[in-house]
Amino acid sequence: MNIHIRNGRLIDPANGIDAQQDLYIVGDRIAGIGQASAGFAADRTIDADGMIVAPGLVDLSARLREPGYEYKATLESEMQAAVQGGVTSLVCPPDTDPVLDEPGLVEMLKHRARSLNQAHVYPLGALTAGLKGQALTEMAELTDAGCIAFSQAEAPIVDTTVLLRAMQYAQTFGFSVWLRPQDPHVGRSGVAHSGPVASRLGLSGVSPMSETLALYTIFELVRATGARVHLCRMSTAAGLELVRAAKKEGLPVTCDVGAHHVHLTEIDIGFFDSNARLTPPLRGQRDRDAIRQALLDGTIDAICSDHTPVDDDEKLLPFGEASAGATGLELLLSLALKWSEEARDQAALPRALAKITSDAARVAGLAAGRLSVGSAADVCVFDPQARWTVAAGALASQGKHTPFLGYELTGQVRTTIVAGHIAYQR
Amino acid sequence: MTQVYPELDAEALYRALAQQVKAGLAHAENLAIVGIHSGGAWLAERLAAELQLNERLGFIDVSFYRDDYAEKGLRADVKPTQIPFDVEGAAILLVDDVLYTGRTTRAAINELFDYGRPARILLAALIDRGERELPIAADFVATSITMPAGQSLILERAEDGRFSLTVEHA
Amino acid sequence: MHNPQLNKNGELQHLLTIEGLPKANILHILDTASSFVSIGDREVKKVPLMRGKSVFNLFFENSTRTRTTFEIASKRLSADVINLNIAASSSSKGESLLDTIDNLSAMHADMFVVRHAQSGAPYLIAKHLNDTQQSHVHVVNAGDGRHAHPTQGLLDMYTIRHYKKDFSNLTVAIVGDILHSRVARSDIHALTTLGVPEVRAVGPRTLLPSGLEQMGVRVYTDIHQGLKDVDVIIMLRLQNERMSGALLPSAQEFFKSYGLTPERLALAKPDAIVMHPGPMNRGVEIDSAVADGTHAVILSQVTFGIAVRMAVMSILAGN
C-alpha cells in the first residue's frame, strides 16, 4: 500500500530533521521525505495537521508475559498496547515461563508475534540456563533464532566466575550482555529505597550500594573481557557517576532508565501505594535529579517503559507482598514528552524523542528508530497537545497498575504504522 | 449571644434549693452526694460542704452513658467520674443544674448502678424547665420555668465561687 | 494526598499511625483515656458505649498480650468481640487479605483491630473499606510490620504524662532495636508531635535505620552518652531473629553494651522512669533489678493501655 502522511511536523532525531515535511511510504519502506518518490500515487492519505510524525518508538524493555504468564497478560493484549503506545519495535526480557533459553521457545515467540502483524519483537535470550546463574546457554543458537542480546532479567548471578565466563563467551561472538546492576545479596529483600521514606514507613530498604557494588564488578569484568554490556534500569546518582566514568574511560557500556524513574521518587509511595512498588525502587530526589542530568549529558542512552503487567491479585496486597512492576507501553511517549516539557530549553522535543527512538535502536543494534528513505516504514503519528487521563479503561494492556493512575498526561498516539501497515488508528 | 435573665438569681435559687435539701434529708442514713459535671458538680460541692458530707462527695460525667452517642460521637471534653465512697446501700443525692428531657438523669442513674446498688437515689435540680421525654421527676427543685426550644440555660461559677445563670441560643 | 485516617469532616475514622495526627487529636485521646482508667476499679467494669457493636480482632501475626488487652478494652465498652487468629484460618488456604475483610464485613463487623506482619496492611484495608462504601467500619492498627503501633505509642505518652506531667522539657531515650520496631516509630512521632524537645535513639549501627535525624531524633551508639540526664527511658525488646540475621553476635554482647543496668540507670535523672512495651527479656535488654525497681513503670503501662484503647475505640466508633 502507498501511504502519504501530510501536513505533519516531521521529527527524525537520527537525521536531525525537525520540519513540516510530508512522508511517503511504499510497501514496507519509506520512499520519500518532503517530496514523493517518482510515480508515487497514494492509496491512503493521512492528514497529520497539528500532529508530529516520528519514527515508531523503540522500547528496550517490555514484558509480554508469554509464554507462561498468560493470567497476567497475553501477547494479543500487550502487542495491542504497544501499537496504541506508538511502539513499533520492542525488546522483551527472557524471564518468561519457561525462560527463553531454548531456540525453539524463541522461534515460537517470534512466530506468534509476527502473526499478529503488530510491533517487531526482539527477544533477549537468557544468559544462563533457566536464569539460574550456573550453566551457559547456547548463545549462538539463540541468536540464530532471533535473540538480539543476552540477559539475566532480575536474577543476578551469584557466582562471579560464571558471569565472567558468560561475558567472555558472549564477547567471542560479539554478543551483547544486558545486565540489571544489582548485588545478589545486598538489598535483595528490600522493597523500597533505603532512606527516610522507607524508615518512616517501616519498609525494608534497598541501599544504593546494591547498584554500585554490582557496577564495580561489572565494569571490572568488562575491562577483563571486552564484552559489550548494556546496563538496564539505572536508578541512583552514585551509579550514574560510575557509568559516566566508565564511558569516559572508553568501556563499551550503555545504559537505560525506566520512564517511571525519570519522574517519580520514593515520596510517591504515599500511603503504601503498591502501584509504586517497582524494581529498582523509586529513589530519592537527588537520584531523580541525577537521572535527568544524565539524560541530558548522554550518560543515559535511552528511556524504556519497563512494561511489566501485574494483575490485581498481585497488586492489591500490602506493599511488601505486592509484585513489583507497572504497565508502561502506553505511557512511554507521554512520559518522555513530560520530561521534555519539564527540562524546557535543555531537552527540546527531538532530543527527548531520540531517547525512545534512534538512541534506543542504537543500543539494541537495530535498524529502527529513524525515517530515512529506504528504512523500514515504522512510523508513529501523535498529537503532542492531546491530554488523557491514565485509567484502567484507557489502557489496552491487561496490566492496569501504574503509579500514574489518575494522572492527566499529554501526548497521544493517533496512528501507528509498522512495516507500512497501519497497525493502529485512534 | 447570651443575656442574663434578671429574674434568675442563681445564688438565691441555690439558697432555696439548699434549704429544701437540708429539710428533706435531715434524717437520711448513709447519705452521699453526687454532682453531674459541670454545673451539678459545683452545686454538689457547695451542698456537701454545708451538709458536712465532703467525704461522701462524688462527681459523675455521663458521656459514656448518653443515648445520643451514635449521632454525636464522644464529646471532646470528657471529665473523669470520681465516686470515692461505696455506692452499695448508699442514699445518693444526685445533683444537676438544669433538669430538662430527663435523659442526663437516666444516664447518671445507669452509671451509678454500675458502681453498685444504692439504697435509693434522690434528684436535686436548681431549675426544672419541663418538657420531659422520660418519666423522671426531681425531689428538690428551686424553680420551674419554660424556655423556647433552641435555648439553653448555663450555670457559671465565677472565680470567687458565685453562681450565675446565662442563656445560650443554639 | 488524602490522609486515609480522617473522614471528610476531618474526624478520625481509623487509627493507622500517629504520624501526621494533629496534637489536639492525641491530647483528646489521652484526656478521654483518663476517664476510663478508673473503670477497672468499679463493681461493673463496663460502660455501654459500644453495646451491640461487633469488634473483630484480626491478628495475622500472633500476639496474645495485645489481643487480650484489646479484647478487655472492647468488652469494657460492652462490645461483642470475635477473635480471629488468621494464621490458622482461611488465609493459609490462600484467601487474600481483602477477601477476608469482605467476608467479615458481610458479617456486619463494626470495627477491625488488625495486626499484620506487613507494613501498610491496615492502609490497604482502610482504603478498601472506603472504596466499597463501608466507611462506617473502623480500623484500628494493632501493629503493622515495622511501621506503626499507634495504641502503644499513645499509651506510652499517657504513661509519660501521668508521671512527668509536662512534655515540653523532657529528654526521652529509646534504646534497642529501632530498625525493626514499630513501637519506636510510633513513640518518636508521638513525642515529636507533643513537643518533647529531645528524643534520642540508642543502639548499635546495625539496628538503627537511616533517616532518623529527619524524624527529629538524635542518634547515639554509646549507651552512657545516650542515657545521660534523660527523664524517660524506653527499652525495646530484642528478638532472637536479629542474631541469625547477622545484625548482632549474641544477646550477651547486646546486654554488655546496651542492657539497662542499675549503674546505667544512674546516669539518667534521679527521678527518671523506665518503660518497656513488653514482653521483657530479662538479662538481654533489661536487668531484673531495674525491671522490678522503683523507676520501672512497666505494669502501669499495661493498665493505661486498656484505658487508652478504650478511648481510641470509643472515639472512632462515635465518628
Side-chain angles (χ1 to χ4, degrees):
Chain A
M1 184 160 67
N2 295 353
I3 305 176
H4 172 202
I5 304 176
R6 59 188 196 132
N7 295 333
R9 173 183 169 193
L10 194 113
I11 301 184
D12 181 14
N15 290 315
I17 301 176
D18 179 359
Q20 291 291 123
Q21 295 207 326
D22 290 6
L23 191 68
Y24 301 86
I25 294 172
V26 171
D28 63 354
R29 300 274 135 193
I30 295 184
I33 297 171
Q35 59 186 37
S37 47
F40 179 89
D43 297 308
R44 179 81 184 265
T45 303
I46 294 174
D47 185 7
D49 183 32
M51 306 287 130
I52 291 179
V53 179
L57 306 188
V58 177
D59 192 347
L60 295 183
S61 182
R63 284 184 168 82
L64 303 173
R65 295 308 198 187
E66 273 195 32
Y69 295 108
E70 288 82 355
Y71 64 93
K72 295 192 208 222
T74 59
L75 216 52
E76 278 81 2
S77 58
E78 304 320 295
M79 297 291 279
Q80 183 62 32
V83 291
Q84 277 186 209
V87 173
T88 56
S89 301
L90 61 88
V91 178
C92 59
D95 55 356
T96 46
D97 180 18
V99 161
L100 291 179
D101 60 3
E102 289 278 321
L105 293 168
V106 176
E107 275 156 13
M108 196 157 66
L109 177 61
K110 287 209 65 141
H111 177 76
R112 276 267 288 142
R114 256 195 313 271
S115 69
L116 290 173
N117 206 6
Q118 290 169 307
H120 308 292
V121 173
Y122 299 100
L124 294 174
L127 188 63
T128 60
L131 295 175
K132 293 206 175 85
Q134 286 158 9
L136 301 184
T137 50
E138 296 171 311
M139 294 189 214
E141 297 267 353
L142 286 165
T143 303
D144 285 345
C147 290
I148 60 157
F150 297 90
S151 153
Q152 277 289 116
E154 295 292 324
I157 296 181
V158 178
D159 185 345
T160 322
T161 316
V162 173
L163 182 55
L164 168 63
R165 302 260 178 268
M167 285 168 68
Q168 278 175 333
Y169 189 76
Q171 200 276 337
T172 309
F173 302 92
F175 299 147
S176 295
V177 179
W178 290 31
L179 297 170
R180 272 268 288 120
Q182 54 183 32
D183 188 85
H185 302 293
V186 172
R188 277 305 269 176
S189 58
V191 301
H193 170 59
S194 191
V197 170
S199 291
R200 263 178 41 230
L201 295 181
L203 296 172
S204 55
V206 182
S207 158
M209 272 200 300
S210 166
E211 187 165 285
T212 54
L213 285 170
L215 287 170
Y216 277 114
T217 302
I218 291 170
F219 292 147
E220 203 47 14
L221 294 176
V222 168
R223 285 182 198 103
T225 63
R228 189 164 115 58
V229 165
H230 174 69
L231 301 159
C232 306
R233 308 322 98 71
M234 294 298 299
S235 69
T236 66
L240 287 166
E241 266 311 308
L242 293 178
V243 172
R244 194 171 278 122
K247 284 188 166 187
K248 194 161 172 206
E249 188 188 326
L251 298 184
V253 298
T254 52
C255 72
D256 68 51
V257 68
H260 288 89
H261 290 70
V262 177
H263 297 289
L264 303 175
T265 66
E266 54 187 344
I267 308 226
D268 293 292
I269 294 176
F271 295 107
F272 300 97
D273 182 5
S274 56
N275 285 330
R277 170 102 169 82
L278 302 175
T279 177
L282 293 170
R283 296 217 183 253
Q285 295 225 346
R286 282 211 209 109
D287 299 300
R288 182 185 55 184
D289 292 345
I291 287 172
R292 291 177 165 215
Q293 182 54 41
L295 280 168
L296 288 174
D297 70 21
T299 303
I300 298 180
D301 298 89
I303 301 173
C304 69
S305 71
D306 203 20
H307 180 76
T308 304
V310 180
D311 64 351
D312 282 357
D313 286 347
E314 291 187 3
K315 272 299 189 186
L316 294 179
L317 291 172
F319 194 89
E321 286 175 6
S323 291
T327 196
L329 278 167
E330 294 159 274
L331 282 81
L332 179 61
L333 175 65
S334 294
L335 294 180
L337 294 179
K338 186 169 152 69
W339 169 59
S340 169
E341 169 67 34
E342 285 161 14
R344 283 303 133 85
D345 316 310
Q346 296 176 294
L349 204 38
R351 202 156 174 199
L353 283 177
K355 297 290 183 194
I356 54 177
T357 54
S358 50
D359 290 345
R362 179 174 43 80
V363 164
L366 299 173
R370 60 182 53 225
L371 297 174
S372 314
V373 172
S375 63
D378 296 335
V379 185
C380 169
V381 181
F382 66 89
D383 182 349
Q385 308 293 333
R387 297 182 72 79
W388 63 288
T389 302
V390 182
L395 300 170
S397 167
Q398 277 191 37
K400 305 294 185 191
H401 291 274
T402 155
F404 282 100
L405 265 181
Y407 275 64
E408 205 186 41
L409 295 178
T410 309
Q412 211 173 34
V413 174
R414 286 279 177 268
T415 308
T416 304
I417 296 171
V418 182
H421 151 72
I422 298 178
Y424 172 70
Q425 178 86 52
R426 181 168 294 276
Chain B
M1 202 172 36
T2 66
Q3 74 196 68
V4 179
Y5 269 22
E7 319 87 67
L8 291 180
D9 178 343
E11 285 294 325
L13 289 172
Y14 169 77
R15 281 193 294 279
L17 183 66
Q19 210 168 25
Q20 287 182 40
V21 166
K22 279 181 209 158
L25 296 177
H27 304 294
E29 284 185 10
N30 270 349
L31 188 58
I33 299 185
V34 174
I36 302 177
H37 276 299
S38 317
W42 296 326
L43 294 166
E45 255 184 325
R46 257 213 227 172
L47 283 170
E50 289 187 33
L51 295 168
Q52 271 133 24
L53 283 172
N54 283 327
E55 282 80 52
R56 306 270 295 169
L57 171 63
F59 304 107
I60 211 171
D61 184 300
V62 299
S63 298
F64 301 149
Y65 289 78
R66 296 179 65 88
D67 59 16
D68 56 0
Y69 168 70
E71 295 100 63
K72 301 216 179 122
L74 204 56
R75 277 176 39 180
D77 57 346
V78 176
K79 295 181 185 47
T81 291
Q82 299 150 287
I83 312 286
F85 56 86
D86 193 358
V87 166
E88 200 71 22
I92 297 180
L93 179 69
L94 197 55
V95 184
D96 204 357
D97 47 5
V98 180
L99 175 58
Y100 184 19
T101 60
R103 291 175 189 272
T104 302
T105 311
R106 181 214 58 95
I109 293 173
N110 279 22
E111 186 160 357
L112 283 173
F113 269 84
D114 277 348
Y115 279 83
R117 189 176 178 275
R120 58 182 179 139
I121 298 180
L122 299 131
L123 177 64
L126 201 62
I127 294 173
D128 180 344
R129 65 177 280 192
E131 311 223 35
R132 214 73 80 235
E133 290 172 6
L134 295 173
I136 301 251
D139 299 279
F140 310 104
V141 167
T143 187
S144 298
I145 61 168
T146 52
M147 283 179 80
Q151 283 184 16
S152 47
L153 208 50
I154 312 288
L155 182 72
E156 289 177 349
R157 184 171 74 174
E159 273 193 24
D160 62 359
R162 283 186 70 78
F163 292 134
S164 62
L165 282 160
T166 50
V167 175
E168 253 177 32
H169 300 270
Chain C
M1 258 174 269
H2 164 67
N3 186 337
Q5 299 199 91
L6 305 176
N7 64 20
K8 40 185 162 27
N9 300 330
E11 297 167 329
L12 208 57
Q13 186 190 344
H14 308 291
L15 180 64
L16 304 177
T17 180
I18 295 184
E19 186 183 7
L21 207 55
K23 182 171 172 177
N25 288 68
I26 297 180
L27 291 174
H28 176 33
I29 294 171
L30 300 186
D31 291 338
T32 306
S34 58
S35 294
F36 284 116
V37 172
S38 56
I39 292 190
D41 300 326
R42 293 179 355 178
E43 181 74 22
V44 175
K45 297 175 182 43
K46 273 188 199 247
V47 297
L49 278 173
M50 287 184 72
R51 199 164 66 94
K53 301 283 187 209
S54 300
V55 175
F56 284 67
N57 278 338
L58 283 178
F59 277 60
F60 292 86
E61 208 184 45
N62 260 330
S63 164
T64 316
R65 289 163 61 96
T66 306
R67 211 190 62 220
T68 307
T69 55
F70 270 104
E71 188 171 345
I72 294 174
S74 303
K75 287 182 171 166
R76 289 201 181 157
L77 290 169
S78 303
D80 296 323
V81 180
I82 294 93
N83 286 314
L84 285 139
N85 184 358
I86 303 289
S89 80
S90 41
S91 258
S92 52
K93 294 181 202 140
E95 186 179 53
S96 76
L97 174 58
L98 295 183
D99 279 343
T100 303
I101 295 295
D102 284 340
N103 281 326
L104 296 174
S105 294
M107 296 182 211
H108 302 291
D110 296 292
M111 186 174 286
F112 289 114
V113 175
V114 182
R115 169 167 284 199
H116 200 286
Q118 286 286 336
S119 300
Y123 285 76
L124 187 64
I125 296 173
K127 181 170 190 300
H128 181 68
L129 291 168
N130 288 346
D131 289 345
T132 52
Q133 283 76 49
Q134 296 179 85
S135 46
H136 59 280
V137 182
H138 305 281
V139 178
V140 179
N141 182 6
D144 64 327
R146 304 179 195 175
H147 169 241
H149 194 356
T151 56
Q152 181 73 40
L154 289 166
L155 78 88
D156 285 348
M157 296 309 108
Y158 188 95
T159 307
I160 293 174
R161 188 166 83 160
H162 179 86
Y163 289 99
K164 294 291 173 187
K165 308 290 180 266
D166 184 6
F167 288 105
S168 66
N169 54 11
L170 293 180
T171 303
V172 177
I174 304 175
V175 184
D177 183 1
I178 317 255
L179 178 60
H180 297 96
S181 173
R182 51 190 169 220
V183 173
R185 284 170 177 79
S186 286
D187 281 341
I188 288 168
H189 292 307
L191 290 165
T192 51
T193 305
L194 289 170
V196 169
E198 190 168 336
V199 180
R200 300 181 185 175
V202 187
R205 286 256 167 257
T206 45
L207 297 180
L208 293 168
S210 61
L212 273 176
E213 289 84 357
Q214 283 94 323
M215 287 198 258
V217 176
R218 280 189 68 178
V219 173
Y220 291 79
T221 50
D222 181 337
I223 186 95
H224 302 95
Q225 291 179 1
L227 290 185
K228 194 158 176 4
D229 295 329
V230 303
D231 300 282
V232 178
I233 303 172
I234 300 176
M235 299 304 297
L236 298 174
R237 179 182 158 68
L238 187 72
Q239 287 167 299
N240 285 330
E241 298 93 87
R242 308 305 165 228
M243 266 56 89
S244 55
L247 291 161
L248 284 180
S250 68
Q252 293 88 314
E253 181 139 310
F254 182 80
F255 185 72
K256 188 162 139 63
S257 308
Y258 296 96
L260 187 60
T261 58
E263 296 71 42
R264 290 179 179 156
L265 177 54
L267 295 166
K269 290 232 180 72
D271 60 350
I273 55 172
V274 174
M275 295 167 55
H276 193 301
M280 287 187 285
N281 283 323
R282 289 164 182 268
V284 176
E285 64 257 6
I286 190 167
D287 191 287
S288 275
V290 175
D292 301 326
T294 52
H295 295 262
V297 301
I298 300 168
L299 291 173
S300 298
Q301 285 175 274
V302 177
T303 309
F304 297 149
I306 297 179
V308 165
R309 284 164 179 134
M310 288 176 76
V312 167
M313 295 170 74
S314 51
I315 289 170
L316 287 179
N319 279 343

